[in-house]
Amino acid sequence: MTHPVPRTADATGLTVAPASLEDWHLIAEWAAAEGWNPGLGDAACFHPTDPRGFFIGRIDGSPVSAVSIVTYSPRYAFLGHYLVRPDLRGRGVGLATWRAAFPHAGDRLVGLDAVPAQEANYRRSGFRPAHGTVRWGGRAARTGTAVDGVVPVTPEHLPAIGAYDRECFPADRASFVARWLTAPGHTARVRLLDGRVTGYGAIRPGRDGHRVGPLFADTPKDAAALLESLTAHLGPEEDVAVDMPETQGEAAALARERGLTPRFPTVRMYTGPAPETRAERVYGTTTLELG
């Protein structure tokens, strides 16, 4: 059950309330300043997923903090965008924002992707590590050859892709996936074998190069074909990044084959046991912000 989140305040004058989409465009700028390289249209895709799950803190009306706790189902939520304006860090503003927003998750299992330096803090809030993820980036080497069985995603593919995604993700997020794959600037591809989906992926422009995600596939061959097709339109000087979970043992080899190098690690953490999914299919997570 999702608990209603009232406007709250603390002794510093901080108020925390659900954020509008306009608010969240500002938070995307904060994320960019942190080097997270958000996609250019991420806010418009993220916010409708759970409009009450994006929170902004203000002092004297000025935005100072943020966190998102997106509820995907009655059993699962994902936390991201935990940010405090740099000049106010170390004053308890972030923790107060967290405490005001977290009840939105209710009794759900909550996941997040933590930078290693913050892992201990999340442990104190009840999270436990499940696996590592590494962002790989660089100028992707491509063969330049046609890829059989990989086609642009059309509306007719979306029901089958949604069903495939549900096996790779802890909740049904078909509406988000449809919005993500058809958003302006996003390029989406699906791999088909005898009419059956054997993988799909998307790439979008970011603040610094392009970001691939998700990259879900049955086999390394399917994943390689999708990555080839998704990056085919990039120029030779354009960077690409993909967040690869260590639960997929072949993902790092695929990144290396394409000339990508490790950029930074994160740690996937949950408030309970890791949910059961087809983790072997996940060569690249959708986003570190929404899972």
Side-chain angles (χ1 to χ4, degrees):
M1 176 180 179
T2 301
H3 301 293
V5 180
R7 175 178 290 272
T8 59
D10 73 353
T12 69
L14 174 75
T15 62
V16 180
S20 68
L21 177 57
E22 183 178 355
D23 291 330
W24 215 251
H25 287 299
L26 171 64
I27 304 309
E29 295 300 324
W30 287 6
E34 294 294 320
W36 295 0
N37 190 25
L40 299 182
D42 283 4
C45 289
F46 287 168
H47 195 265
T49 308
D50 178 11
R52 297 288 295 177
F54 294 80
F55 297 88
I56 191 164
R58 293 182 170 88
I59 294 177
D60 296 330
S62 177
V64 298
S65 58
V67 67
S68 61
I69 305 177
V70 171
T71 57
Y72 281 106
S73 76
R75 295 185 177 182
Y76 187 65
F78 199 86
L79 187 148
H81 298 101
Y82 188 34
L83 290 160
V84 176
R85 210 173 68 191
D87 61 306
L88 291 174
R89 291 174 184 171
R91 303 186 187 182
V93 171
L95 183 58
T97 304
W98 173 291
R99 288 173 174 168
F102 201 82
H104 182 70
D107 297 328
R108 295 170 175 85
L109 175 72
V110 182
L112 59 78
D113 286 308
V115 295
Q118 293 298 320
E119 181 179 340
N121 289 334
Y122 291 125
R123 281 179 179 269
R124 285 192 285 271
S125 294
F127 287 81
R128 294 293 178 266
H131 63 79
T133 297
V134 176
R135 175 165 294 182
W136 293 78
R139 296 169 184 170
R142 300 183 294 278
T143 66
T145 59
V147 180
D148 292 334
V150 178
V151 299
V153 170
T154 67
E156 290 74 19
H157 296 128
L158 293 177
I161 289 174
Y164 188 91
D165 183 86
R166 177 62 188 88
E167 296 185 357
C168 304
F169 192 79
D172 182 347
R173 54 173 185 171
S175 295
F176 168 78
V177 168
R179 189 165 58 249
W180 189 253
L181 299 185
T182 59
H186 291 211
T187 297
R189 297 288 184 265
V190 59
R191 185 163 171 86
L192 302 170
L193 177 63
D194 298 327
R196 179 177 64 86
V197 173
T198 63
Y200 86 96
I203 187 171
R204 68 197 194 280
R207 306 305 174 93
D208 181 18
H210 293 72
R211 288 181 63 178
V212 172
L215 182 60
F216 295 166
D218 282 3
T219 68
K221 182 178 180 180
D222 293 320
L226 284 163
L227 189 57
E228 174 78 17
S229 182
L230 289 169
T231 58
H233 67 287
L234 301 184
E237 303 301 315
E238 293 186 89
D239 270 13
V240 64
V242 55
D243 298 304
M244 292 183 157
E246 293 177 345
T247 48
Q248 200 339 296
E250 302 293 331
L254 173 60
R256 290 191 183 95
E257 288 170 2
R258 298 301 164 128
L260 305 181
T261 58
R263 296 286 177 87
F264 64 83
T266 54
V267 182
R268 174 60 62 89
M269 305 181 77
Y270 296 103
T271 52
E276 293 185 9
T277 62
R278 296 290 299 273
E280 77 279 3
R281 287 181 175 175
V282 181
Y283 289 78
T285 60
T286 307
T287 78
L288 297 180
E289 297 84 7
L290 262 67

